[in-house]
Amino acid sequence: MTGRAPVAAATVGVVRAYGTGSSAVRALDGVTLWIPAGRFTAVMGPSGSGKSTLLHCLAGLDRPTSGQVVLGDTDLGTLTDAELTTVRRDRIGFVFQDGNLLPHLSAGENIDLAASLAGRRPDRVWRAELVDRLGIGNRLRHLPAELSGGQRQRVAVARALLGRPEIVVADEPTGSLDTASGGELLGLLRGCVDDYGQTVVMVTHDPRAASVSDQVLMLRDGVAAGRLTAPTPDRVLSAMGALTGAGDPAHPDAAHSDVTDTGPVLR
């Protein structure tokens, strides 16, 4: 591991198949990769490439058919369902496309939910810092239905960060937001990495969203298809065009992507 960033999570030969026999579909087909700690990794690929399945396996939301998923020094495959629930609650933060807030709880109660379920008191100083940073101090008593899409996602980010997790996973977090709100959310996720040393892994279909990351992992047909470092929207769009074999006419260089082979490690 010399010369590499510390590893937050890893997959080794992960296969996730759905169905049996001749009708089985491999959403992931032997994926091996490392997610570096304290960095922002985006995952992209054509529809059906396995990117959300990969994220769900990394986060312990889904168990692979075979292969190994490791969070820190914990092999998730060795855990019971109860132990895996504890890992998700205490060591992983989640930001989903629609916020995934409980509708009958206030914004503040949603932020505190994981701590409440664990019977712990939240770190009030850290909570206050998050609420202030995210600009939601005057919305904590409101129900999710009374919040805008951007405000719901800010609450989701606060909830994800409150327990100081080892990794934050975000599944299409800007998918239901307008351009301005989406840009604000991406700036907040970027700040999580730059200001707090957080590890963030985000699935997205948007080249502009991916360009906020440190690197982009490309998937195609359930296998790792390359990685892109120092991404920009145009470079990501070009890389996606190369993956699909149908470059964007507005970007004639799309067929000449500078995506590099992933190898086993995202450096």
Side-chain angles (χ1 to χ4, degrees):
M1 305 297 286
T2 303
R4 298 176 189 151
V7 174
T11 67
V12 181
V14 165
V15 172
R16 183 61 175 103
Y18 297 95
T20 58
S22 61
S23 63
V25 175
R26 288 196 172 199
L28 298 175
D29 196 6
V31 175
T32 295
L33 59 87
W34 279 258
I35 300 296
R39 297 180 69 181
F40 194 152
T41 297
V43 181
M44 296 193 75
S47 178
S49 61
K51 51 189 183 291
S52 288
T53 302
L54 173 64
L55 192 74
H56 292 172
C57 287
L58 279 170
L61 292 170
D62 194 5
R63 290 185 184 268
T65 304
S66 62
Q68 185 180 34
V69 179
V70 178
L71 176 66
D73 59 358
T74 302
D75 182 344
L76 299 187
T78 67
L79 303 182
T80 65
D81 288 345
E83 290 169 336
L84 196 56
T85 297
T86 299
V87 165
R88 290 195 300 262
R89 184 189 66 206
D90 295 343
R91 299 173 60 185
I92 304 172
F94 297 92
V95 182
F96 297 101
Q97 180 172 337
D98 61 357
N100 206 32
L101 305 180
L102 294 184
H104 61 284
L105 298 182
S106 68
E109 289 168 336
N110 268 286
I111 292 171
D112 296 339
L113 182 60
S116 298
L117 291 174
R120 296 192 301 263
R121 290 182 177 274
D123 180 334
R124 292 298 172 184
V125 174
W126 175 233
R127 185 182 189 276
E129 180 178 342
L130 287 173
V131 166
D132 181 65
R133 173 72 179 266
L134 294 166
I136 52 176
N138 64 341
R139 311 299 290 176
L140 296 182
R141 296 182 181 275
H142 290 71
L143 294 174
E146 300 171 316
L147 304 176
S148 69
Q151 290 168 341
R152 287 194 294 272
Q153 288 296 61
R154 287 171 178 266
V155 171
V157 170
R159 181 184 60 189
L161 293 177
L162 185 62
R164 300 181 187 270
E166 296 174 33
I167 188 170
V168 170
V169 297
D171 194 357
E172 298 281 6
T174 63
S176 60
L177 301 180
D178 58 45
T179 300
S181 296
E184 290 175 359
L185 177 63
L186 291 168
L188 292 170
L189 291 175
R190 181 73 252 179
C192 292
V193 177
D194 295 340
D195 299 337
Y196 300 130
Q198 183 66 62
T199 302
V200 175
V201 182
M202 175 183 71
V203 162
T204 183
H205 68 279
D206 184 352
R208 291 171 297 179
S211 70
V212 176
S213 69
D214 296 307
Q215 58 188 347
V216 182
L217 170 66
M218 316 298 289
L219 294 182
R220 178 176 54 199
D221 299 329
V223 300
R227 66 180 174 91
L228 182 65
T229 57
T232 65
D234 282 347
R235 292 183 69 211
V236 175
L237 189 61
S238 175
M240 287 295 294
L243 276 185
T244 60
D248 188 328
H251 295 271
D253 294 332
H256 305 287
S257 168
D258 52 0
V259 169
T260 59
D261 182 22
T262 51
V265 176
L266 292 179
R267 297 182 182 276

